[in-house]
Amino acid sequence: DTGVSQDPRHKITKRGQNVTFRCDPISEHNRLYWYRQTLGQGPEFLTYFQNEAQLEKSRLLSDRFSAERPKGSFSTLEIQRTEQGDSAMYLCASSPRWEARGVNYEQYFGPGTRLTVT
Amino acid sequence: QKEVEQNSGPLSVPEGAIASLNCTYSDRVSQSFFWYRQYSGKSPELIMSIYSNGDKEDGRFTAQLNKASQYVSLLIRDSQPSDSATYLCAVKSGSARQLTFGSGTQLTVLP
């Protein structure tokens, strides 16, 4: 089990540029989540995929944000026309399928992508 | 009112003591509760999950859940300096798939 991976780990960009982040979940996990975390706060939910279907999006996810998971494996999060307020740690998490005798909602986080918009 | 509330701390305990971290939540239909540990500059790491009222122990960690009082806590026994981190409480509510996090409690274990 190699864990959740994210790329890049750090990104510095100028205001107005577009950025794209990649997340590779744990291989047998079919559920994938994106969160954003700013200093001193807990992670805030952005969006959720079950397999390739994007089932939930937060109101935080403005029109400048888009996420995909085209084959139900890795996911990408794109931010268009970045703003200084987009500076944050972007976290990806994955969780396994429902277990036969119960529900397992444990989410495992990747190392995150730290975005700095100058 | 925030959905998940934690004391921000900082909480300082001496090495070997019991650290007690508390969390309250507002949604009565919440059903799954998690504690994550986050070292500075790193991502959250899952340390405990609890789904039923009562205590759940895992090594030096004990999670306690009281759904009637909408309260969940984490006890760390024999605290070590390596336990110094921010501890995040997370709650899954109702039919939502995502977790709602508190702002975290910063714990410092003094050698």
Side-chain angles (χ1 to χ4, degrees):
Chain A
D1 187 347
T2 58
V4 179
S5 61
Q6 292 187 246
D7 184 69
R9 298 288 301 275
H10 303 274
K11 179 71 177 179
I12 300 174
T13 192
K14 293 185 177 179
R15 184 167 53 92
Q17 297 295 305
N18 299 344
V19 295
T20 300
F21 309 141
R22 176 179 170 127
C23 171
D24 287 85
I26 294 170
S27 58
E28 63 270 24
H29 288 186
N30 69 330
R31 290 178 272 172
L32 186 148
Y33 311 80
W34 285 98
Y35 291 83
R36 179 172 68 187
Q37 186 177 25
T38 53
L39 195 62
Q41 300 299 315
E44 294 178 298
F45 171 73
L46 293 178
T47 191
Y48 159 71
F49 290 86
Q50 182 168 308
N51 300 312
E52 65 276 9
Q54 187 175 20
L55 297 184
E56 287 188 46
K57 290 196 295 185
S58 164
R59 286 169 292 178
L60 290 176
L61 211 65
S62 76
D63 291 345
R64 297 185 297 106
F65 288 70
S66 62
E68 294 184 339
R69 194 182 182 197
K71 297 182 179 179
S73 57
F74 73 92
S75 175
T76 58
L77 177 69
E78 181 183 17
I79 309 174
Q80 296 182 328
R81 305 181 303 282
T82 52
E83 301 173 356
Q84 287 188 321
D86 296 331
S87 296
M89 173 81 89
Y90 289 83
L91 294 162
C92 176
S94 69
S95 63
R97 302 172 187 275
W98 287 51
E99 292 181 328
R101 288 186 290 175
V103 172
N104 185 345
Y105 290 110
E106 294 180 350
Q107 296 183 19
Y108 299 89
F109 284 87
T113 295
R114 183 167 297 283
L115 173 66
T116 302
V117 182
T118 61
Chain B
Q1 181 186 5
K2 292 188 69 174
E3 295 180 47
V4 180
E5 297 213 37
Q6 298 181 251
N7 290 328
S8 61
L11 172 66
S12 295
V13 300
E15 184 174 355
I18 296 175
S20 177
L21 304 160
N22 304 317
C23 173
T24 59
Y25 59 93
S26 60
D27 189 345
R28 285 194 168 274
V29 301
S30 298
Q31 54 193 209
S32 307
F33 307 86
F34 307 89
W35 284 99
Y36 286 82
R37 177 175 62 199
Q38 186 171 28
Y39 293 113
S40 179
K42 303 296 186 182
S43 63
E45 173 192 8
L46 179 67
I47 53 174
M48 290 285 287
S49 60
I50 186 167
Y51 304 99
S52 303
N53 279 329
D55 294 0
K56 178 181 178 182
E57 188 173 319
D58 184 359
R60 296 186 296 111
F61 299 99
T62 299
Q64 299 174 316
L65 175 60
N66 183 327
K67 290 186 179 181
S69 300
Q70 295 176 241
Y71 176 90
V72 58
S73 65
L74 179 71
L75 301 178
I76 307 174
R77 290 183 300 282
D78 188 23
S79 296
Q80 302 296 308
S82 59
D83 294 326
S84 298
T86 295
Y87 289 80
L88 296 163
C89 172
V91 175
K92 179 193 172 306
S93 296
S95 60
R97 270 62 164 220
Q98 71 269 22
L99 300 180
T100 301
F101 285 83
S103 297
T105 298
Q106 185 179 345
L107 172 67
T108 300
V109 181
L110 303 170

